[in-house]
Each structure stands twice: as C-alpha cells, then as structure tokens.
Amino acid sequence: EEVNLRFYVKRVANGEVRRGVTFLRELVPLAAIAVVAQLTYNEPYRALPMRHRIDAVTPDAAPAIVEYSWKGSSAWNRIRVQPTGATSPIDPGSEEEFIAHHAWGYTRQRDGSTIEYEVLHPPWRVWQLRTADFDDDSTVFDAPFAGALRRAPHSAFLADGSAVSLHTPTRLEAAPA
C-alpha cells in the first residue's frame, strides 16, 4: 500500500517539457520503506499501520470496491472507490493523463536544493467510478490541506498501476536570481 498527497509541476530542460510530480506526504506500511525514501530522496514518507481491501468481481469487470486505509492518531482513515465498467487506456490530453502520467519526480533537499529523477512505468489503464469517498481525521496530512481534503472530489478515477523504476537523482542547479 501507498497513499500520497502530491501536486504536479512542469520544467523545461533543453527545450523538453518535463511533466513531474512532487510529494507533500507519502504513507507506507513499513518503516524500512520510509527510511530508505527519506535518506535516498528526502521524500516526505511516513510509516503507519495500513491495510487494503479489493473486492474482485471477474477478470473482465471492475472490482466491486477498492479501499486503502491508514491509522491516524484517533481513527482509521480511508480512500474507498467503487469502479464501474472495464478498464480503458488513458486518453492523450485527458485529465487522467495529466494526473497519472508523469515521467519525472522532484524533491526539495535538506540544503534547499532540488533533485530530479526519472520515473518509468508501463502505460496504465483506468476505470471510471460510481463512487469515491475519502475519510481523514486530519492528523496525517498537514493543516493547510485538511480543509480541501474534506470536500467532495472534483474528479476521481482508479488506475490499475504497476511497478515503477526510479532512476538515480540529479541535483538541479539553482535558477539565476
């Protein structure tokens, strides 16, 4: 399991537009994963008790329910969706592509600099959703985001996901003042 809060960035490098992601909080169930990510990339990982539930229907149909939960200081929190229909490829130029396809990661380092690393994975497929619920006791995500996270989502979908490969990070040079 991994649950994360992120935002999206673009950077132009040698005339190439690099679409990337930067993480504000990443939740994982194992302390070892959090420690390695913090030491290697300075990513904002936090290890918490986590669990998941995926109620499968058939290989050709959407799962009935997909739920990821994590234990905050006062309660179990969750993201729960009910997909509908079959998966479909992500349409170029769609909101799903904007959210699910980022080939770069960016992370601020302890000295204030930024690293960039390439992220590779096969193209994902998506399900549309019948319902999407997010329950959070606001003890895990920072206060500026707690209010936004309590609102109904503007949009939601489920991606099948896959393993990813992370390339060795490169420290970016500071932009001229």
Side-chain angles (χ1 to χ4, degrees):
E1 292 97 4
E2 179 177 327
V3 172
N4 60 60
L5 177 61
R6 61 169 102 186
F7 66 94
Y8 305 99
V9 296
K10 288 183 183 179
R11 182 175 99 81
V12 177
N14 301 322
E16 169 195 6
V17 176
R18 294 184 174 178
R19 295 181 50 225
V21 61
T22 186
F23 295 99
L24 302 170
R25 171 69 64 214
E26 296 177 83
L27 308 177
V28 292
L30 300 174
I33 295 171
V35 168
V36 169
Q38 290 166 356
L39 293 175
T40 305
Y41 293 94
N42 195 40
E43 291 283 4
Y45 272 72
R46 184 169 173 193
L48 293 172
M50 296 182 77
R51 59 189 181 201
H52 70 277
R53 170 183 166 197
I54 300 174
D55 293 348
V57 178
T58 69
D60 294 0
I65 292 173
V66 176
E67 180 176 297
Y68 289 91
S69 303
W70 59 97
K71 182 79 164 95
S73 63
S74 63
W76 278 94
N77 303 279
R78 71 176 185 178
I79 295 172
R80 181 180 188 199
V81 298
Q82 291 183 300
T84 184
T87 60
S88 60
I90 294 176
D91 292 328
S94 67
E95 184 175 32
E96 288 89 352
E97 181 191 45
F98 177 80
I99 292 170
H101 182 71
H102 293 87
W104 299 92
Y106 297 92
T107 306
R108 183 170 186 238
Q109 298 301 288
R110 290 169 191 84
D111 66 2
S113 66
T114 299
I115 61 168
E116 172 185 69
Y117 53 92
E118 191 170 11
V119 181
L120 297 174
H121 61 78
W124 292 340
R125 298 176 62 84
V126 294
W127 283 278
Q128 296 307 309
L129 301 179
R130 206 169 319 159
T131 64
D133 300 307
F134 180 79
D135 297 318
D136 176 57
D137 66 4
S138 299
T139 63
V140 174
F141 297 106
D142 294 332
F145 303 102
L149 293 172
R150 280 196 278 284
R151 286 184 241 148
H154 170 73
S155 66
F157 63 91
L158 176 65
D160 60 0
S162 67
V164 299
S165 298
L166 301 179
H167 286 242
T168 303
T170 302
R171 190 172 304 275
L172 301 178
E173 292 186 28

